[in-house]
């Protein structure tokens, strides 16, 4: 493939710009999108933010404490997204792959330094999600005080069901979140157990990022996380939202 050459110049503001377009060396990747539950449209995904230790009982089972001064976050690439159920590949490079069921918030409006009282206006929908984790690699990273990227930003690890528009779900009040493996409940808690509410998370996150339509926020997982094995059948639920059902695939060769 022939690549066009381009000259670089500076505009009046001193910013560099390409005077001619360059041909891509390979096709641009297609960004993922999630269907709305009623089939009326698609939600293009821009970024994935995940909240750590947002349930005190889960933090305790991991040997940690909740930082009640402020939430903390990690991110996943949009290419880690796995829309829908079906077969979920078992991740390579791990022998301890864990499930973490989560409520996912989908943003439909931009916001920066948003007050808590106005944060809800950014939400366009909610979905059930799973933050799949290479737990052995996360434990190793913690021991060595290294980032969690290899443990968390895993291919197919940001599982998400169809999005229910915000106006079609009354919200997390008096709702429960749960996950079962092969029909046995492993995780179950009221969403009121979240240390930081959805508006608080959005407001805090908007201090560090210019939030945009297409951003997803995985809001944390309750206690009961555990390992999955090939052939396991998972069902993830948040009351009032479309559940997720999937089967764990074989070990990678």
């Amino acid at each position: 493939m022939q690549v066009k050459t381009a000259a670089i110049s500076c505009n009046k503001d001193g910013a560099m710009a390409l005077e001619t377009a360059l041909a891509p060396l390979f096709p641009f990747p297609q960004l993922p999108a999630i269907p709305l539950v009623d089939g009326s449209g698609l939600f293009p995904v821009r970024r994935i933010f995940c909240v750590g230790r947002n349930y005190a009982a889960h933090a305790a089972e991991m040997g940690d404490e909740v930082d009640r001064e402020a939430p903390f976050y990690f991110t996943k690439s949009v290419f880690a997204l796995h829309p829908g159920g079906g077969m979920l590949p078992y991740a390579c490079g791990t022998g301890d792959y864990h499930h973490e069921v989560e409520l996912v918030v989908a943003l439909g409006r931009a916001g920066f330094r948003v007050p808590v009282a106005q944060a809800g206006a950014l939400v366009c929908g909610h979905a059930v999600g799973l933050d799949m984790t290479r737990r052995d690699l996360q434990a190793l990273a913690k021991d060595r005080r290294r980032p969690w990227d290899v443990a968390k930003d895993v291919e197919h690890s940001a599982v998400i069901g169809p999005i229910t528009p915000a106006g079609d779900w009354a919200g997390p009040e008096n709702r429960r979140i749960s996950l079962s493996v092969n029909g046995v409940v492993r995780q179950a808690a009221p969403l009121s157990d979240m240390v930081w509410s959805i508006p608080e998370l959005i407001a805090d996150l908007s201090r560090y990022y210019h939030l945009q339509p297409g951003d997803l926020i995985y809001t944390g997982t309750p206690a009961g996380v555990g390992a999955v094995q090939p052939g396991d059948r998972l069902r993830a639920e948040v009351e009032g939202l479309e559940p997720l059902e999937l089967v764990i695939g074989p070990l990678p060769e």
Side-chain angles (χ1 to χ4, degrees):
M1 176 175 58
Q2 183 179 5
V3 179
K4 298 178 181 179
T5 59
I8 298 177
S9 62
C10 292
N11 60 26
K12 63 181 181 180
D13 298 319
M16 291 189 297
L18 292 176
E19 292 184 344
T20 59
L22 295 176
L25 297 177
F26 42 83
F28 288 102
Q30 183 176 359
L31 294 177
I34 308 163
L36 300 185
V37 71
D38 60 4
S40 62
L42 291 172
F43 179 90
V45 179
R46 186 173 185 272
R47 290 179 295 190
I48 301 174
F49 299 101
C50 302
V51 183
R53 301 172 192 165
N54 200 26
Y55 289 77
H58 170 59
E61 75 178 349
M62 301 303 297
D64 300 309
E65 294 183 0
V66 171
D67 183 350
R68 296 185 183 273
E69 292 185 5
F72 83 93
Y73 312 96
F74 56 91
T75 61
K76 296 194 181 208
S77 163
V78 294
F79 300 107
L81 202 70
H82 183 92
M87 196 277 288
L88 181 68
Y90 193 100
C92 58
T94 182
D96 195 20
Y97 202 37
H98 276 216
H99 58 75
E100 297 187 12
V101 63
E102 311 211 0
L103 170 65
V104 184
V105 178
L107 303 186
R109 294 180 60 186
F112 180 60
R113 295 175 179 169
V114 182
V116 172
Q118 300 174 17
L122 273 62
V123 177
C124 77
H126 305 82
V128 181
L130 289 171
D131 164 24
M132 301 299 295
T133 303
R134 292 172 171 138
R135 191 69 73 201
D136 45 359
L137 300 189
Q138 185 188 34
L140 184 63
K142 287 181 178 180
D143 289 343
R144 298 181 178 179
R145 297 186 177 183
R146 293 178 177 176
W148 295 1
D149 299 61
V150 176
K152 288 291 191 176
D153 192 1
V154 182
E155 295 163 351
H156 300 282
S157 67
V159 188
I160 187 169
I163 293 174
T164 296
D168 295 340
W169 190 56
E173 293 78 13
N174 303 315
R175 305 281 185 162
R176 293 185 63 82
I177 183 171
S178 64
L179 179 134
S180 62
V181 179
N182 301 322
V184 178
V185 176
R186 287 192 180 178
Q187 294 184 264
L191 290 172
S192 58
D193 279 1
M194 287 196 294
V195 176
W196 303 99
S197 69
I198 292 172
E200 288 171 333
L201 291 172
I202 294 172
D204 184 73
L205 194 58
S206 74
R207 297 168 56 209
Y208 306 104
Y209 296 91
H210 290 79
L211 299 178
Q212 298 292 329
D215 288 342
L216 296 176
I217 303 174
Y218 281 62
T219 59
T221 194
V225 301
V228 295
Q229 303 297 330
D232 281 349
R233 294 184 174 274
L234 278 62
R235 181 178 173 88
E237 298 181 76
V238 171
E239 288 181 334
L241 301 179
E242 187 77 11
L244 263 174
E245 294 187 349
L246 48 89
V247 178
I248 303 299
L251 294 175
E253 296 181 358

